[in-house]
């Protein structure tokens, strides 16, 4: 039920992952007040194509762009737009996917535009910490929901440390990945441990928690894509594509080590 890749196939996925990492680095560099999310999208598409890869989001079920740009109360699947100009204090999540030689990489970061509130910084840090806790559980011998449990536990701990219970998004989560962006299984960000398929070397999963500064209820906008918090609170989203090796998790979308 979870596809197992060869070492060579994982290396091909790593190459795709590096394109995504370089693209998100370029977007991070450019993202500042006064820049539109459409400009970030153009930069991302150019970076992906210059690397000989193809943006996986563009045309995916009709999605019109190469990144999802989700600003403030937008959680995921925000459509880049000329009219969406970043302002000081915004919190933007950028999700990006690329296909190289038929293999997919998928990763997301949350970026602070200029000075953002302490609360927003803590929200993004909590979400990133939950992602890394989940990644630590992407190990042979674990079961799928050991990852969910690790994500949930880390998010709850961050909430206790920050004195604020974060909203957990139940409808969206991680997924298998390989020659398609979204493959079996769905990986919930919340759940009891010890359930679901046993993890084996050669499997690849995208781990992607989303947290909000308020409740976890979501709404989809009339554009058919953008998912926002029902209560207007801000959201953060972090994601990496991770492979299971004999030596532990291999973060395929992490930037190359110096
Ligand atoms: Mg993604
Ligand atoms: Mg994903």
């Amino acid at each position: 039920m979870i596809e197992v890749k060869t070492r060579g196939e994982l290396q091909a996925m790593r190459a795709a992952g590096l394109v995504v990492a370089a693209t998100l680095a370029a977007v991070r560099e450019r993202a500042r007040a006064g820049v539109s999310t459409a400009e970030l999208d153009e930069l991302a598409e150019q970076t992906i194509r210059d690397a000989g890869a193809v943006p996986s989001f563009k045309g995916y079920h009709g999605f019109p762009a190469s990144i999802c740009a989700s600003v403030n109360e937008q959680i995921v699947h925000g459509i880049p737009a000329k009219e969406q100009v970043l302002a000081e204090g915004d919190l933007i999540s950028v999700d990006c996917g690329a296909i190289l030689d038929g293999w997919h990489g998928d990763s997301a970061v949350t970026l602070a535009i200029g000075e953002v509130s302490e609360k927003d910084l803590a929200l993004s840090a909590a979400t990133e910490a939950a992602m890394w806790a989940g990644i630590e559980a992407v190990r042979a011998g674990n079961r799928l929901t050991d990852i969910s449990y690790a994500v949930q536990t880390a998010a709850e701990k961050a909430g206790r440390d920050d004195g604020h219970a974060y909203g957990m998004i139940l409808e969206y989560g991680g997924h298998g990945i390989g020659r398609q962006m979204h493959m079996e299984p769905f990986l919930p960000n919340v759940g009891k441990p010890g359930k679901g398929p046993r993890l084996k070397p050669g499997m690849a999963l995208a781990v992607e928690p989303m947290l909000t500064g308020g409740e976890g209820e979501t709404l989809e906008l009339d554009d058919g894509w953008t998912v926002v918090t029902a209560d207007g609170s801000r959201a953060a989203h972090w994601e990496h594509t991770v492979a299971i090796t004999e030596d532990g998790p291999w973060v395929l979308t992490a930037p190359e080590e110096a």
Side-chain angles (χ1 to χ4, degrees), residues 53-78:
V54 176
S56 42
F57 292 7
K58 201 154 192 175
Y60 183 82
H61 295 285
F63 191 77
S66 299
I67 56 171
C68 295
S70 306
V71 181
N72 297 337
E73 79 285 357
Q74 300 175 352
I75 306 167
V76 284
H77 306 164

Side-chain angles (χ1 to χ4, degrees), residues 30-244:
R30 179 76 64 86
R32 67 177 80 93
V35 172
S36 75
T37 54
E39 286 173 72
L40 298 181
D41 178 55
E42 252 175 64
L43 172 67
E45 178 165 4
Q46 198 58 54
T47 307
I48 291 168
R49 294 201 190 277
D50 286 350
V54 176
S56 42
F57 292 7
K58 201 154 192 175
Y60 183 82
H61 295 285
F63 191 77
S66 299
I67 56 171
C68 295
S70 306
V71 181
N72 297 337
E73 79 285 357
Q74 300 175 352
I75 306 167
V76 284
H77 306 164
I79 301 173
K82 280 203 271 307
E83 304 73 38
Q84 176 93 64
V85 177
L86 295 174
E88 182 84 10
D90 280 348
L91 196 65
I92 177 178
S93 298
V94 180
D95 194 347
C96 178
I99 312 164
L100 185 67
D101 298 328
W103 295 96
H104 285 253
D106 186 10
S107 180
V109 294
T110 294
L111 305 173
I113 303 304
E115 289 273 310
V116 304
S117 70
E118 287 291 328
K119 189 182 169 191
D120 288 350
L121 282 180
L123 167 65
S124 179
T127 312
E128 187 180 8
M131 174 191 70
W132 285 112
I135 289 170
E136 270 305 304
V138 181
R139 287 181 184 276
N142 277 356
R143 286 192 184 272
L144 184 71
T145 68
D146 291 334
I147 304 169
S148 315
Y149 180 71
V151 168
Q152 177 181 354
T153 304
E156 287 170 351
K157 179 184 185 300
R160 283 194 303 275
D161 291 348
D162 297 342
H164 179 89
Y166 293 111
M168 314 271 235
I169 307 297
L170 303 181
E171 299 97 318
Y172 304 91
H175 48 91
I177 180 167
R179 285 193 175 275
Q180 292 165 37
M181 178 162 59
H182 291 134
M183 298 177 71
E184 292 283 307
F186 176 70
L187 170 56
N189 285 316
V190 172
K192 291 191 167 65
K195 298 188 189 304
R198 181 85 62 187
L199 304 180
K200 294 192 186 107
M203 292 175 171
L205 295 164
V207 178
E208 50 176 319
M210 291 140 243
L211 296 179
T212 82
E215 302 297 325
E217 281 78 47
T218 67
L219 295 171
E220 190 183 278
L221 298 187
D222 289 341
D223 63 18
W225 283 103
T226 313
V227 179
V228 300
T229 57
D231 61 7
S233 62
R234 289 187 170 190
H237 178 209
W238 283 86
E239 175 180 25
H240 270 309
T241 297
V242 186
I244 300 170

